[in-house]
Amino acid sequence: MGMDFSTLRSLISRFCAGEENCVDTRTVYIGHKEPPPGAEAFIQQRFPDNRIVSSKYTFWNFVPKNMFEQFRRVANFYFLIIFLVQLIIDTPTSPITSGLPLFFVIIVTAIKQGYEDWLRHKADNAVNQCPVDVVQHGKVVRTQSRRLRVGDVVQVKEDETFPCDLILLSSSRDDGTCYVTTASLDGESSHKTYHAVQDTKAYKTEREVACIHATIDCEQPQPDLYKFRGNINIYMGNEPVSRSLASQNLLLRGATLKNTEYIFGVAIYTGMESKMALNYQSKSQKRSAVEKSMNAYLVVYLCILISKAVINTVLKYVWQADPNKDEPWYNEKTETERQRHILIRAFTDFLAFMVLFNYIIPVSMYVTVEMQKFLGSYFIMWDDEMLDEELGERAVVNTSDLNEELGQVEYVFTDKTGTLTENNMEFIECCVDGTVYEPDAICNGQVMPGAADIDMIDTSPGPQAKERAELFFRALCLCHTVQVKEEETVDGIKHGIHQGKSSSFYISSSPDEVALVEGMKRLGFTYLRLKDGQMEILNRDDEIERFELLEVLTFDSVRRRMSVIVRSSTGELYLFCKGADSSIFPRVISGKVEQVKARVEHNAVEGLRTLCVAYRPLSPEQYEQVCHLLTRAKLEFQDQDKLVAEAYDLIERDLILLGATAVEDRLQEKAADTIESLHKAGMKVWVLTGDKMETAAATCYASKLFRRSTQILELTTKRTEEQSLHDVLFELKRTVLRHYGAMARDTSSGLSSEYADYGLIIDGATLSAVMRPNQEDSNSGNYKEIFLEICRNCSAVLCCRMAPLQKAQIVKMIKASKEHPITLAIGDGANDVSMILEAHVGIGIMGKEGRQAVRNSDYAIPKFKHLKKMLLVHGHYYYIRISELVQYFFYKNVCFIFPQFLYQFFCGFSQQPLYDTAYLTLYNISFTSLPILLYSLMEQHINMDILKKDPSLYRDIAKNSLLTWPIFIYWTVLGVYDAIVMFFGAYFLFDNTTFTSNGQMFGNWTFGTLVFTVLVFTVTFKLALDTHYWTWINHFVIWGSLVFFVVFSLLWGGIIWPFLNYQRMYYVFMQMLSSGPAWLSIILLITASLLPDVVKKVFWRALWPTTTERIQNADKLYKGQLSEFTPLEALQPPHKAGSQRRGSANQRNAANPRRSDTPNKKVMLTRWQRMPDYCTFTPLLRLTEGSRRSKLGNAYSRAGPETAV
């Protein structure tokens, strides 16, 4: 690890450079050339070099920094204090007993973190030393990436990665464009187009580029990947030429050059100031509910520890107050020690008792929990059922700290597009002035075969309608940012060539645009290419039409539309605009609005994504005005974004409506089954989407979020326009509370159809009004609380027209509600990152909207359907395992230390240890740690197939039910009981008894060894009794740990160890085992310790069994065959005679049916092997009841009614 001087360098730079680093802009001199005299003042600013530093430590600061971070943990700091006390004062136990486990934990953690940081240093060096081509004095010179400086002109060749953030000066293409993929930044593999500065794109060679004399004024570095503003001043004559710069001129570090031979660019942000580096921000630390419970238990045990020490200290001085019971002479206390002030002596004794009892707080528990979480996370990554063969992707665990939180989820917030749906767009139809056109159904006004069942408004349009339709098709062929690629080259092999001819395909950052352009191709208008500013279209007559692309008004989420301005070959000027219906209809002044609006609403109800298309012819004067508006807005440095938005708003007015399109985004496989299972598991599912209400609602019905019986409550802008928000909220509240008693969802079969099942729909605008702080109007009330009350009594909630920030606000609101439920957010796009980071557990989908969600999530899965197993199986297991681990650790330490506390009453409170130093040190490290670690990794209390088939079992562990205070107190009381049995059982068996054949009596070390032997066997057998899933590894570890204890004790007491200054344990263990009564007492005490817990479990299971315990009993009864199912597919019901759908529906993939298709009905048959009768799976809890049998010995039931939209 080399020394990192970046911090020191930045401080020196700040002081040397003065105040210029504090301003909002920076000036970059291209090629480090000073501006001409009189142009502007030359102020050389200081910028960081191009080194990337992702490491955390350096060679010099590793030890102090790592130690500081480790001792910030309360447990580590506590044990450090105990260790120091043992060193400073005379304590009954050796400092090794506390120091060895502590230093073992510290050293192992330091080695792990040091190794991880060394790997980061290694990766940093590989990046910083990679070669880069820099233009110097008209020649290309190769140097290392870390030596790049702001202002250097860099040459990047095809398939190379940009070494820093560059402004594109020129490219090998004549039009000055280049194609870039930003997969390493946002995961989008699509090719994006970037543009060179207009006045420098002609400079093609290094000599020409070296002659550029210009400066760049731009904003200081900021992390937003998609925003940039600046100006370039080019000195070509007397007056400099100023051009505006935007994000399409900025090439980001980490992006890759594609389909372009080379480019030249100037470095403006380097090293840790590049946008990629600024996005290396650490996520906020999330803590699980189990960790919070564990910390609460630690506080309780710390109080118990202090109280024990106080009681013993007080009783010691009470006992020594009697002159006959003063401290014995053989303790060899000096006169100085005897004359010390009583408070000092009492405090010293208090610390000594703290040291003696400190093992009640186990430092090894933290290590075991960390290992359990880290190793347990691999079970998710290794799960073959969560492997997507199509993507070749497995589930990914980005943080293992929240594994058990997967078993505690109460609210699921999910995105719609790409999460519930495939984000695989298919063009369905377009409507032009009321006429519906479908690919492969209508061509040149003729109805094609197979299209007879299509609902056509007008199947034979006239000449005028045909002309309007062709204008609509041309508009969609021109209004987009799609790129055409002739062939694909991968590893030198060319793809995309069919029958010797180059076959083109479309690339875009938006799958909607590709679907629309491909739909136009199927309707007879093919977009060919953009070449030299000319967009080429092949029409139905196989004629190439050319349009000059003049301006692109890019899409943004606020306007929700995009436009292009083109000039036809005849000189006519057009503005074509497409966007959401809510952003187009208000700007339309003519066209068949009602017919198109009706079709848009019809398609939205069917769950199709709709866009409206409009146009506006421009006169040359109007175009000049448009150019003036855009140029003035783009040259303005301050508030550039606002001015550009205002200019777009002025331009996109007075439109003529052409029509609308419909694109289908199919529901993901098993999405409906997953949501239904989550409902049955007691979770509330909310869909948060930016889509329109009708489309989102149709998706919710198809995915079974809403059922046929669901009563929909609307809290939308449309309704609040008719009534006040106050009235609507209180009306909805009255409605849901009226049926509050009937809506208790505690049945194991999920939501019953007997009582009202409510679903709420709210839009973004109304949500903003609800979330707004209370107004002065006294009638406003606390809207947020009322809204929460309504939501609590709804089985599902749909939030549509949501902005990304609103998604996070909703999650935060639910988290902060009085129940403090555990939340989970799942999404696939950059717009879902905010809610993923806000939720307790964030899950990213490996979808088509980039990998930002995956990178910012705690877990990543290939498809939404994998969420079911992740929560119902993995989450269930993780929670069961770690809750047992935590409770068991506290239990075994109470058993360990409470006999030590009792022993002080029999040794004059002299702080005499009951156990030998070796036993004190190794109890938590070796003798009892491995069995519980293996249990916490492998335990399966119920077969995983049953957990998947019966989601209601998830309710048994909800709300941290296994780590509640009553259960914690039970484990603690059980530990105290076992400790009392062990101590007093051994004590009374020792009373006036000679155990050996030669008449020798046992000493105090033999007594302590007997208690310790009973202790180790008892706590190990207790874990064995709690284990349901036995494998050879369990047997090996549990019985092996007991064998190891016996072997260690024989060796420890059977050899005189030369490095010890005492031999008090010599022959103690062998002497104890040679006594018959000792064997009998060990067996009796172990039995007496375990008996109450066994009796309690037997009675509880017989009288008050939980759902989990009933299924465990049934699984044992049927010898593990409970989960073997035979699914039978019933015949698909025949289609209705009046069933309406389009001709192309017959050609769709049967595996992905349309939402409007009636789904197949399934019959689930469950067979109990080796048994004469059969029964359905559903009544698992009534396995012992008499089930209805047929003559053939089997009974089956049909699935309930399914929702078809």
Side-chain angles (χ1 to χ4, degrees):
M1 298 178 191
M3 182 176 179
D4 181 16
F5 293 100
S6 61
T7 306
L8 180 62
R9 184 183 295 108
S10 64
L11 288 172
I12 294 173
S13 299
R14 184 173 299 173
F15 287 114
C16 293
E19 294 295 321
E20 64 267 20
N21 282 341
C22 300
V23 297
D24 294 333
T25 62
R26 62 169 54 186
T27 301
V28 178
Y29 302 96
I30 298 179
H32 308 288
K33 294 179 182 178
E34 297 183 16
E40 59 183 66
F42 176 67
I43 303 174
Q44 184 64 53
Q45 295 177 329
R46 298 178 183 272
F47 304 108
D49 59 22
N50 198 40
R51 287 190 305 155
I52 288 291
V53 180
S54 62
S55 55
K56 193 175 183 180
Y57 308 105
T58 66
F59 180 81
W60 307 104
N61 71 9
F62 173 72
V63 173
K65 191 173 182 179
N66 185 265
M67 292 300 104
F68 173 74
E69 289 176 349
Q70 292 208 54
F71 285 114
R72 286 172 65 185
R73 297 187 70 169
V74 176
N76 288 349
F77 183 72
Y78 164 76
F79 277 95
L80 177 65
I81 296 297
I82 293 293
F83 174 67
L84 293 176
V85 168
Q86 287 178 295
L87 289 176
I88 294 169
I89 68 172
D90 183 22
T91 55
T93 57
S94 166
I96 294 175
T97 57
S98 293
L100 188 63
L102 174 65
F103 291 134
F104 173 76
V105 171
I106 296 296
I107 289 170
V108 168
T109 306
I111 290 173
K112 172 179 170 287
Q113 293 179 351
Y115 174 71
E116 290 174 349
D117 204 62
W118 176 76
L119 292 178
R120 285 192 285 265
H121 271 275
K122 194 174 178 182
D124 289 346
N125 289 334
V127 172
N128 293 330
Q129 294 175 8
C130 69
V132 174
D133 294 332
V134 179
V135 178
Q136 294 179 355
H137 309 295
K139 296 181 180 178
V140 175
V141 179
R142 179 150 286 200
T143 184
Q144 289 184 343
S145 174
R146 62 190 176 94
R147 300 186 187 278
L148 272 182
R149 294 183 299 156
V150 171
D152 283 345
V153 178
V154 181
Q155 183 187 43
V156 180
K157 297 179 181 177
E158 186 174 5
D159 293 327
E160 289 183 352
T161 301
F162 301 123
C164 59
D165 291 351
L166 305 167
I167 290 294
L168 179 59
L169 296 176
S170 66
S171 77
S172 58
R173 292 177 174 269
D174 294 334
D175 57 0
T177 60
C178 70
Y179 298 116
V180 171
T181 58
T182 56
S184 62
L185 297 173
D186 56 14
E188 295 181 11
S189 57
S190 57
H191 293 54
K192 299 177 180 176
T193 307
Y194 288 81
H195 301 271
V197 178
Q198 191 68 24
D199 298 274
T200 63
K201 69 179 183 180
Y203 297 88
K204 301 290 186 184
T205 66
E206 52 266 29
R207 286 186 178 276
E208 293 174 348
V209 170
C211 296
I212 295 176
H213 199 182
T215 61
I216 294 175
D217 295 317
C218 60
E219 61 189 1
Q220 293 289 5
Q222 48 107 351
D224 194 325
L225 297 177
Y226 309 105
K227 286 186 179 179
F228 173 76
R229 66 175 188 264
N231 291 325
I232 182 170
N233 302 305
I234 306 165
Y235 303 102
M236 306 180 76
N238 295 330
E239 290 294 329
V241 177
S242 182
R243 300 288 184 191
S244 65
L245 299 174
S247 56
Q248 62 262 31
N249 306 116
L250 180 66
L251 304 173
L252 300 178
R253 177 176 188 143
T256 305
L257 184 66
K258 291 289 184 182
N259 297 337
T260 309
E261 189 179 342
Y262 63 85
I263 63 102
F264 288 103
V266 58
I268 59 165
Y269 302 134
T270 53
M272 298 307 292
E273 288 189 344
S274 63
K275 287 182 178 286
M276 183 181 75
L278 292 174
N279 278 276
Y280 286 160
Q281 56 188 2
S282 58
K283 294 178 287 188
S284 59
Q285 187 69 26
K286 295 180 179 180
R287 295 173 60 211
S288 68
V290 169
E291 187 178 348
K292 294 173 185 175
S293 297
M294 198 164 67
N295 291 338
Y297 298 162
L298 278 175
V299 171
V300 171
Y301 271 63
L302 186 61
C303 294
I304 293 174
L305 169 63
I306 294 172
S307 62
K308 279 184 178 181
V310 169
I311 290 170
N312 275 262
T313 304
V314 171
L315 291 178
K316 176 177 181 176
Y317 284 92
V318 170
W319 188 80
Q320 290 183 358
D322 186 346
N324 298 323
K325 296 180 180 179
D326 196 4
E327 195 165 1
W329 59 269
Y330 50 77
N331 278 356
E332 298 179 357
K333 288 291 180 73
T334 63
E335 190 62 29
T336 306
E337 291 174 327
R338 290 177 182 275
Q339 296 301 323
R340 190 179 297 163
H341 194 278
I342 188 171
L343 290 179
I344 296 177
R345 281 188 290 151
F347 181 68
T348 304
D349 286 327
F350 170 76
L351 292 178
F353 281 118
M354 286 282 289
V355 169
L356 187 64
F357 301 140
N358 84 87
Y359 302 96
I360 196 171
I361 299 178
V363 67
S364 60
M365 180 175 70
Y366 284 95
V367 183
T368 308
V369 167
E370 291 293 331
M371 291 178 65
Q372 189 267 349
K373 290 183 175 183
F374 175 71
L375 297 175
S377 63
Y378 283 94
F379 289 111
I380 288 180
M381 295 187 278
W382 290 339
D383 193 338
D384 288 336
E385 291 185 20
M386 298 176 72
L387 165 68
D388 188 85
E389 295 181 355
E390 180 185 348
L391 295 175
E393 298 273 9
R394 289 183 177 272
V396 175
V397 178
N398 293 326
T399 173
S400 59
D401 293 338
L402 303 171
N403 290 347
E404 63 276 8
E405 205 82 328
L406 294 170
Q408 294 296 295
V409 175
E410 297 171 64
Y411 280 81
V412 175
F413 299 94
T414 175
D415 179 39
K416 183 182 78 72
T417 306
T419 303
L420 292 179
T421 59
E422 291 182 348
N423 201 12
N424 185 15
M425 308 301 172
E426 180 187 357
F427 181 80
I428 301 299
E429 68 167 41
C430 58
C431 171
V432 185
D433 287 345
T435 304
V436 177
Y437 294 84
E438 278 219 18
D440 309 322
I442 287 189
C443 187
N444 293 323
Q446 299 299 316
V447 181
M448 303 298 289
D453 61 338
I454 297 174
D455 180 19
M456 300 298 295
I457 297 174
D458 184 2
T459 56
S460 54
Q464 187 178 357
K466 181 181 177 182
E467 184 180 338
R468 295 273 292 175
E470 291 185 350
L471 182 60
F472 175 88
F473 299 152
R474 289 187 181 94
L476 284 176
C477 284
L478 296 171
C479 187
H480 57 73
T481 57
V482 171
Q483 301 165 28
V484 180
K485 198 168 184 188
E486 297 298 334
E487 56 190 28
E488 176 73 17
T489 304
V490 179
D491 298 330
I493 303 173
K494 292 187 176 181
H495 300 267
I497 297 178
H498 180 64
Q499 295 179 350
K501 294 183 180 181
S502 177
S503 58
S504 62
F505 56 94
Y506 299 118
I507 303 168
S508 176
S509 56
S510 168
D512 291 80
E513 287 198 326
V514 173
L516 292 175
V517 175
E518 287 179 343
M520 293 305 100
K521 185 177 181 179
R522 291 157 63 194
L523 285 169
F525 280 77
T526 304
Y527 172 63
L528 297 177
R529 66 185 65 84
L530 171 64
K531 185 177 182 181
D532 300 329
Q534 298 282 333
M535 301 182 80
E536 297 181 358
I537 298 173
L538 184 68
N539 62 23
R540 287 173 173 169
D541 300 324
D542 289 334
E543 297 173 348
I544 294 179
E545 300 178 6
R546 290 181 175 85
F547 293 82
E548 183 183 355
L549 180 61
L550 301 174
E551 295 287 348
V552 178
L553 281 59
T554 54
F555 175 87
D556 64 68
S557 57
V558 178
R559 287 167 46 241
R560 297 179 64 83
R561 60 185 179 273
M562 75 158 291
S563 302
V564 295
I565 300 175
V566 296
R567 180 186 284 120
S568 68
S569 55
T570 58
E572 296 168 317
L573 290 164
Y574 291 100
L575 179 141
F576 291 115
C577 181
K578 72 176 182 191
D581 56 332
S582 58
S583 65
I584 296 293
F585 285 138
R587 298 178 173 274
V588 168
I589 58 171
S590 66
K592 296 185 179 181
V593 178
E594 293 305 319
Q595 293 94 321
V596 174
K597 185 178 287 188
R599 195 64 189 176
V600 166
E601 291 175 357
H602 172 268
N603 287 328
V605 168
E606 290 207 1
L608 303 177
R609 295 164 65 91
T610 57
L611 283 177
C612 293
V613 181
Y615 80 104
R616 173 188 171 191
L618 297 175
S619 65
E621 293 77 18
Q622 288 174 322
Y623 175 63
E624 288 297 327
Q625 187 180 0
V626 165
C627 289
H628 178 69
L629 274 173
L630 292 175
T631 305
R632 189 177 65 180
K634 290 177 180 178
L635 283 176
E636 188 67 36
F637 193 75
Q638 296 294 333
D639 298 324
Q640 189 183 74
D641 294 339
K642 181 182 177 183
L643 291 170
V644 168
E646 290 174 356
Y648 286 175
D649 186 64
L650 291 172
I651 295 166
E652 296 169 327
R653 290 187 174 180
D654 302 331
L655 302 176
I656 302 170
L657 185 64
L658 283 172
T661 63
V663 173
E664 182 184 28
D665 187 7
R666 292 181 183 173
L667 204 64
Q668 277 198 20
E669 180 189 5
K670 296 184 179 177
D673 173 63
T674 302
I675 287 182
E676 193 172 31
S677 298
L678 298 182
H679 270 303
K680 289 181 178 178
M683 298 176 225
K684 293 192 175 182
V685 183
W686 290 33
V687 174
L688 313 181
T689 179
D691 218 333
K692 61 175 68 70
M693 188 181 82
E694 295 82 5
T695 305
T699 304
C700 290
Y701 276 108
S703 61
K704 296 186 180 178
L705 185 74
F706 294 156
R707 299 164 176 267
R708 283 180 178 174
S709 59
T710 302
Q711 184 177 339
I712 301 300
L713 309 175
E714 288 190 16
L715 186 56
T716 59
T717 308
K718 184 177 179 181
R719 185 166 180 187
T720 53
E721 287 173 353
E722 300 169 357
Q723 291 177 269
S724 68
L725 178 62
H726 177 273
D727 293 341
V728 174
L729 280 170
F730 276 90
E731 182 181 329
L732 293 178
K733 182 181 178 181
R734 283 194 299 270
T735 303
V736 296
L737 292 182
R738 192 180 303 130
H739 300 275
Y740 181 79
M743 290 183 66
R745 287 166 173 78
D746 55 356
T747 59
S748 60
S749 59
L751 299 169
S752 173
S753 59
E754 294 177 2
Y755 24 75
D757 174 22
Y758 292 108
L760 178 68
I761 299 178
I762 183 172
D763 59 20
T766 312
L767 181 71
S768 298
V770 170
M771 301 286 285
R772 196 178 300 130
N774 292 342
Q775 306 296 319
E776 295 181 1
D777 181 10
S778 59
N779 293 328
S780 65
N782 194 342
Y783 289 164
K784 191 186 294 187
E785 286 301 319
I786 299 171
F787 174 67
L788 277 172
E789 188 70 28
I790 295 168
C791 292
R792 283 191 202 103
N793 296 291
C794 291
S795 60
V797 178
L798 165 63
C799 304
C800 50
R801 298 295 195 189
M802 289 284 117
L805 188 59
Q806 285 182 311
K807 294 183 178 184
Q809 287 175 341
I810 284 186
V811 177
K812 188 174 183 179
M813 179 182 68
I814 295 297
K815 278 174 63 179
S817 61
K818 61 183 179 182
E819 298 91 354
H820 297 290
I822 304 300
T823 58
L824 178 146
I826 179 169
D828 72 318
N831 60 332
D832 303 315
V833 169
S834 55
M835 74 170 179
I836 285 173
L837 292 176
E838 183 63 47
H840 291 96
V841 182
I843 296 184
I845 298 281
M846 300 169 186
K848 299 181 180 180
E849 292 190 18
R851 292 299 172 96
Q852 279 186 309
V854 170
R855 288 202 310 273
N856 286 280
S857 63
D858 303 304
Y859 303 88
I861 54 178
K863 294 287 175 62
F864 183 78
K865 65 179 180 179
H866 298 133
L867 182 65
K868 178 180 177 180
K869 186 172 186 184
M870 177 170 271
L871 297 184
L872 302 186
V873 178
H874 290 293
H876 198 121
Y877 283 157
Y878 284 138
Y879 179 74
I880 290 287
R881 293 163 180 169
I882 201 166
S883 59
E884 176 86 8
L885 184 153
V886 171
Q887 302 280 29
Y888 178 79
F889 250 100
F890 284 112
Y891 156 78
K892 73 185 181 72
N893 277 51
V894 169
C895 294
F896 180 44
I897 286 304
F898 202 72
Q900 178 74 72
F901 172 73
L902 297 174
Y903 186 58
Q904 296 307 302
F905 290 85
F906 296 88
C907 66
F909 305 100
S910 61
Q911 297 141 17
Q912 168 66 30
L914 176 63
Y915 313 118
D916 180 61
T917 301
Y919 289 155
L920 285 171
T921 306
L922 297 178
Y923 175 74
N924 278 318
I925 293 179
S926 300
F927 298 148
T928 60
S929 60
L930 204 55
I932 184 60
L933 175 62
L934 193 76
Y935 174 96
S936 65
L937 289 173
M938 301 192 67
E939 172 66 0
Q940 295 182 20
H941 63 303
I942 295 179
N943 188 293
M944 67 172 63
D945 289 332
I946 298 176
L947 289 177
K948 285 191 292 186
K949 297 291 183 183
D950 190 358
S952 62
L953 293 172
Y954 194 86
R955 296 166 182 255
D956 273 9
I957 60 169
K959 296 189 180 296
N960 205 13
S961 60
L962 299 184
L963 286 174
T964 56
W965 287 107
I967 294 177
F968 168 71
I969 292 170
Y970 170 77
W971 279 86
T972 303
V973 170
L974 183 65
V976 170
Y977 165 80
D978 289 351
I980 292 173
V981 168
M982 294 170 200
F983 181 83
F984 286 107
Y987 175 78
F988 287 119
L989 287 169
F990 264 56
D991 191 30
N992 299 323
T993 307
T994 55
F995 276 80
T996 57
S997 55
N998 59 5
Q1000 289 183 341
M1001 294 185 68
F1002 286 167
N1004 66 314
W1005 294 116
T1006 310
F1007 175 75
T1009 302
L1010 177 64
V1011 173
F1012 191 81
T1013 303
V1014 175
L1015 165 69
V1016 171
F1017 275 81
T1018 299
V1019 298
T1020 306
F1021 286 157
K1022 162 67 176 165
L1023 185 64
L1025 288 172
D1026 286 349
T1027 302
H1028 295 93
Y1029 185 70
W1030 284 93
T1031 64
W1032 68 268
I1033 305 178
N1034 296 77
H1035 286 287
F1036 176 78
V1037 170
I1038 287 179
W1039 313 128
S1041 65
L1042 295 176
V1043 171
F1044 172 73
F1045 162 70
V1046 173
V1047 171
F1048 173 83
S1049 298
L1050 290 172
L1051 292 175
W1052 184 246
I1055 300 173
I1056 297 177
W1057 297 97
F1059 56 84
L1060 293 178
N1061 57 3
Y1062 64 88
Q1063 300 296 333
R1064 62 193 180 205
M1065 292 300 293
Y1066 181 67
Y1067 211 66
V1068 168
F1069 194 71
M1070 281 76 79
Q1071 185 187 33
M1072 184 189 75
L1073 293 184
S1074 66
S1075 167
W1079 281 89
L1080 180 62
S1081 62
I1082 290 172
I1083 296 171
L1084 287 176
L1085 293 178
I1086 292 173
T1087 305
S1089 298
L1090 294 175
L1091 190 61
D1093 186 49
V1094 173
V1095 171
K1096 177 254 179 189
K1097 284 186 175 180
V1098 170
F1099 274 97
W1100 244 252
R1101 278 176 174 263
L1103 300 176
W1104 305 286
T1106 64
T1107 308
T1108 301
E1109 289 168 347
R1110 290 180 182 182
I1111 289 188
Q1112 286 173 345
N1113 295 335
D1115 203 23
K1116 290 175 183 176
L1117 179 65
Y1118 292 103
K1119 300 180 182 179
Q1121 305 301 328
L1122 190 63
S1123 60
E1124 296 203 0
F1125 300 94
T1126 306
L1128 300 177
E1129 297 266 346
L1131 293 175
Q1132 184 176 356
H1135 288 286
K1136 297 177 183 179
S1139 175
Q1140 145 190 337
R1141 202 51 236 159
R1142 304 167 173 84
S1144 57
N1146 298 327
Q1147 302 160 7
R1148 291 197 171 91
N1149 187 352
N1152 292 297
R1154 287 276 313 197
R1155 292 190 180 91
S1156 54
D1157 293 341
T1158 305
N1160 294 341
K1161 304 294 181 183
K1162 294 184 179 179
V1163 176
M1164 182 66 72
L1165 192 70
T1166 308
R1167 180 168 60 90
W1168 313 113
Q1169 289 195 354
R1170 305 187 186 94
M1171 299 299 292
D1173 60 315
Y1174 300 82
C1175 68
T1176 58
F1177 177 78
T1178 307
L1180 273 176
L1181 309 185
R1182 298 187 290 276
L1183 290 169
T1184 54
E1185 299 175 11
S1187 55
R1188 190 177 302 170
R1189 299 184 179 90
S1190 65
K1191 293 180 181 179
L1192 297 176
N1194 56 15
Y1196 64 89
S1197 64
R1198 262 185 205 281
E1202 300 182 19
T1203 304
V1205 180

